[in-house]
Amino acid sequence: MKLSVKSIIIFLSVVVFTITAYNSIGFFHADEHYQIIEFAGLKVGWNTPKDLVWEYHTQIRPTLQPIIASGLISTFKFFGISDPYTHSFLLREITGLLLIFALVFFFNNTKRFIPSSKQLQSSKLLESLYLGFLLLIWYVPYLGVRFSSETWSAIFLLFAMGCFCSENKNRKKILLTGLFFGISFLFRFQILFALVGFGIWFLIFNRKNWKELLQIITVFLLVFCLGIAIDSSFYGKFTISVWNYFDQNILQHKAANFGELPWDYYLNRLFHLPTKLIGTLFFLSIASALIFRIKSPFIWMILSFILLHMLVSHKEERFLFPIAFFFPLFFVQFFQLLLDTIPKKIALTLIGLTSLGILTTSVVGLPILATSSAGLGRNGITHFIHQNYKGKPVNLIAMPFSNPYAPWFLNERFYLDKNVSFTPIDQFEQLDSNALKKDSINLFVTTQRILDDYPHKENIRKLGFKLVKQSVPAYQLKMDYFIREIDDQSVTYLYELKK
């Protein structure tokens, strides 16, 4: 039986997502771990309230995802799976497979928007590009396996828009749209910025179907109330976490304490982060959608999401992740516009060259991200210790902000091995016999930033320490400059004292 292009793309995506999930140890951003996995530890048993970050005590985080994590981890343990790194892999794998399902569902319900009206024979090409871009652009598997609020919010936003865009839309699908909007919101409150755009679009272009909007809002509010019940149960008292979030981060400006960036930060990131080729294609496709597809709900949602985020002083690139999965729709609709407005040969040449550029970027980027630990690779270091020194007493000597188990004061108790003890030091001069422990494996950890400031790095080796692991391999650092612009100053180096 001959496999279809669609089946091959989906099969490849499952393979790439699984490899990425297996290797993408740790987290892209601290919130992915400390405010989800460590929150789950409160229910599973490895944490107490005093072990958790300030967001727990101010009750500003939604708790649906920590509850899901605690349920899944408890299930893994019930079946005899006790290793925390296996737990985190399974959480990422479940996330990745769920995202693939959501993307294919979204594809099946939106592919009717992309056929060329003048070049019908090119429709199959556009469909194949669309599905390939959705599942296998270089950043999709890496973001897609993150057990983060951004990714889980995006999953249910994809489900919602897939239901709403269904060709055979009925009352059930309208209600499901409201349900999925609500669930998406419970994972990440900022998704409301996209929903505002959807509501504005509805009132301008679809107001004759106002009953549909009323049904969507009603179901959304029911889910919102369910979220209040979930959060109140988790925190142990009645609370409205979205209000707490707004009060702490906006009214009391706590988010600004973590840094403020100029209004055009997101424009810069949208151009550079996905690579300049994809960034250019994004802005061209958005501009064409504004001119030729102004009645599409997607352009209103994307622009609303970006513009409202631009008004918030505290900005981070990860805040854009939920909408990154929608970019391929704009790309392929831009290709469709080329086929409909310029000579076919020129259009196909431009489409071919652009697609070849994206393919080349993905051929380079996918293997790097699929074989890397997440973020700055700190948990790649802890995983190395976990695997290579299991059951042996380990003394981890750590420079400031270098300890991969506790880079920001609080320990990552989820990954913490009982055989590992810490000896913090403030300067290299303290790396002497007093820091060492007899009858223990003595390890030393530091970062590139500290090494650059230390004029006598050779003293590390003179003491008998040998480099055994670095969080991001040297060859990846060279390529990451073009792929994800990693901060090489934060790369972590692990040394072992050789007797």
Side-chain angles (χ1 to χ4, degrees):
M1 181 178 176
K2 187 177 180 180
L3 291 175
S4 66
V5 173
K6 178 180 176 181
S7 299
I8 293 171
I9 292 173
I10 294 173
F11 173 76
L12 283 175
S13 70
V14 171
V15 172
V16 174
F17 271 65
T18 299
I19 295 172
T20 306
Y22 181 79
N23 290 304
S24 193
I25 300 165
F27 50 86
F28 176 85
H29 187 275
D31 288 6
E32 184 181 333
H33 178 83
Y34 286 96
Q35 296 173 22
I36 298 176
I37 301 301
E38 296 295 354
F39 272 37
L42 195 63
K43 300 300 180 182
V44 181
W46 72 78
N47 270 334
T48 62
K50 67 181 178 60
D51 299 313
L52 300 179
V53 290
W54 69 273
E55 286 91 343
Y56 172 80
H57 302 285
T58 52
Q59 302 177 1
I60 70 171
R61 294 294 178 181
T63 58
L64 175 59
Q65 197 167 358
I67 287 173
I68 291 172
S70 63
L72 289 172
I73 291 171
S74 297
T75 302
F76 302 153
K77 288 187 172 183
F78 176 81
F79 286 101
I81 304 171
S82 58
D83 190 283
Y85 293 93
T86 304
H87 293 168
S88 60
F89 159 64
L90 291 173
L91 291 176
R92 292 191 298 271
E93 178 70 356
I94 290 169
T95 302
L97 294 177
L98 186 59
L99 178 68
I100 290 173
F101 184 74
L103 287 169
V104 173
F105 177 77
F106 181 75
F107 165 80
N108 287 333
N109 286 288
T110 56
K111 63 183 180 180
R112 62 192 176 90
F113 299 144
I114 64 171
S116 170
S117 59
K118 296 182 180 179
Q119 306 289 345
L120 296 179
Q121 66 271 32
S122 300
S123 295
K124 289 296 181 183
L125 169 65
L126 292 178
E127 275 194 21
S128 298
L129 288 175
Y130 183 28
L131 184 60
F133 289 170
L134 278 170
L135 293 172
L136 290 171
I137 280 185
W138 68 272
Y139 60 77
V140 168
Y142 177 77
L143 298 184
V145 302
R146 305 261 59 81
F147 192 75
S148 65
S149 63
E150 292 87 7
T151 297
W152 276 70
S153 183
I155 287 170
F156 286 90
L157 188 62
L158 286 163
F159 279 132
M161 292 309 295
C163 286
F164 185 77
C165 293
S166 173
E167 191 170 9
N168 301 311
K169 191 162 53 179
N170 52 33
R171 186 171 181 270
K172 177 182 177 182
K173 291 178 180 177
I174 290 297
L175 296 177
L176 283 173
T177 300
L179 174 67
F180 291 139
F181 275 159
I183 296 174
S184 179
F185 175 79
L186 292 189
F187 286 118
R188 184 156 187 82
F189 296 142
Q190 291 92 330
I191 209 67
L192 186 65
F193 292 165
L195 302 186
V196 167
F198 177 84
I200 293 172
W201 167 83
F202 209 108
L203 294 173
I204 295 174
F205 298 106
N206 202 33
R207 57 182 178 272
K208 64 179 180 179
N209 295 320
W210 62 271
K211 289 183 179 179
E212 290 184 359
L213 181 60
L214 184 60
Q215 291 171 346
I216 290 171
I217 292 174
T218 299
V219 177
F220 177 88
L221 290 176
L222 289 174
V223 176
F224 176 79
C225 292
L226 176 62
I228 293 176
I230 292 171
D231 292 343
S232 298
S233 173
F234 188 93
Y235 288 118
K237 67 176 184 179
F238 179 80
T239 190
I240 302 177
S241 55
V242 65
W243 168 254
N244 298 337
Y245 185 92
F246 179 77
D247 176 54
Q248 292 285 321
N249 285 329
I250 305 301
L251 298 182
Q252 298 188 40
H253 305 289
K254 281 195 176 180
N257 293 335
F258 296 96
E260 297 183 60
L261 290 165
W263 67 271
D264 60 346
Y265 169 80
Y266 290 124
L267 300 180
N268 177 279
R269 296 291 80 194
L270 285 167
F271 178 67
H272 287 93
L273 273 183
T275 70
K276 293 180 177 65
L277 169 65
I278 296 176
T280 300
L281 180 59
F282 171 77
F283 282 107
L284 287 174
S285 61
I286 289 294
S288 69
L290 275 171
I291 298 170
F292 298 100
R293 293 185 178 276
I294 193 63
K295 293 184 179 181
S296 167
F298 294 102
I299 187 63
W300 288 83
M301 294 175 72
I302 295 294
L303 287 181
S304 173
F305 188 86
I306 295 171
L307 291 173
L308 290 176
H309 268 97
M310 288 169 66
L311 296 178
V312 180
S313 59
H314 178 64
K315 299 175 175 67
E316 297 180 32
E317 61 192 43
R318 67 186 175 97
F319 294 169
L320 296 175
F321 290 173
I323 60 169
F325 302 104
F326 292 86
F327 291 175
L329 176 61
F330 292 94
F331 297 167
V332 179
Q333 287 185 332
F334 179 65
F335 291 168
Q336 176 202 65
L337 177 66
L338 293 179
L339 286 168
D340 288 346
T341 56
I342 64 177
K344 179 180 178 181
K345 185 176 291 187
I346 297 175
L348 289 176
T349 299
L350 291 173
I351 292 169
L353 289 174
T354 304
S355 300
L356 179 62
I358 293 174
L359 175 63
T360 302
T361 301
S362 297
V363 166
V364 174
L366 284 174
I368 288 178
L369 295 181
T371 57
S372 304
S373 297
L376 294 170
R378 293 187 182 96
N379 288 118
I381 298 287
T382 65
H383 186 236
F384 179 86
I385 295 172
H386 177 78
Q387 283 190 315
N388 290 276
Y389 308 105
K390 184 174 291 187
K392 302 174 184 178
V394 171
N395 174 37
L396 184 63
I397 307 166
M399 292 292 285
F401 303 103
S402 299
N403 187 343
Y405 292 97
W408 301 287
F409 309 111
L410 285 175
N411 287 337
E412 294 173 11
R413 294 177 61 85
F414 177 66
Y415 292 116
L416 195 59
D417 288 310
K418 293 181 179 179
N419 61 307
V420 179
S421 61
F422 305 134
T423 300
I425 61 175
D426 296 321
Q427 52 191 358
F428 274 106
E429 286 71 20
Q430 294 175 301
L431 184 61
D432 55 22
S433 58
N434 293 322
L436 305 180
K437 289 185 179 179
K438 295 180 179 180
D439 302 321
S440 292
I441 296 171
N442 288 283
L443 302 178
F444 171 64
V445 64
T446 187
T447 62
Q448 184 66 53
R449 180 175 288 105
I450 295 174
L451 287 173
D452 285 347
D453 292 337
Y454 182 55
H456 303 294
K457 294 186 284 291
E458 67 276 5
N459 287 355
I460 298 173
R461 292 179 177 82
K462 286 180 180 179
L463 287 169
F465 283 96
K466 181 181 178 182
L467 181 67
V468 291
K469 178 73 175 177
Q470 69 183 67
S471 60
V472 182
Y475 77 91
Q476 289 186 1
L477 282 174
K478 293 178 181 178
M479 297 306 298
D480 278 340
Y481 177 79
F482 302 99
I483 298 299
R484 52 175 175 162
E485 299 181 354
I486 198 166
D487 176 16
D488 61 352
Q489 291 294 292
S490 297
V491 174
T492 303
Y493 296 87
L494 181 71
Y495 299 82
E496 180 183 347
L497 181 65
K498 299 296 184 178
K499 296 180 181 179

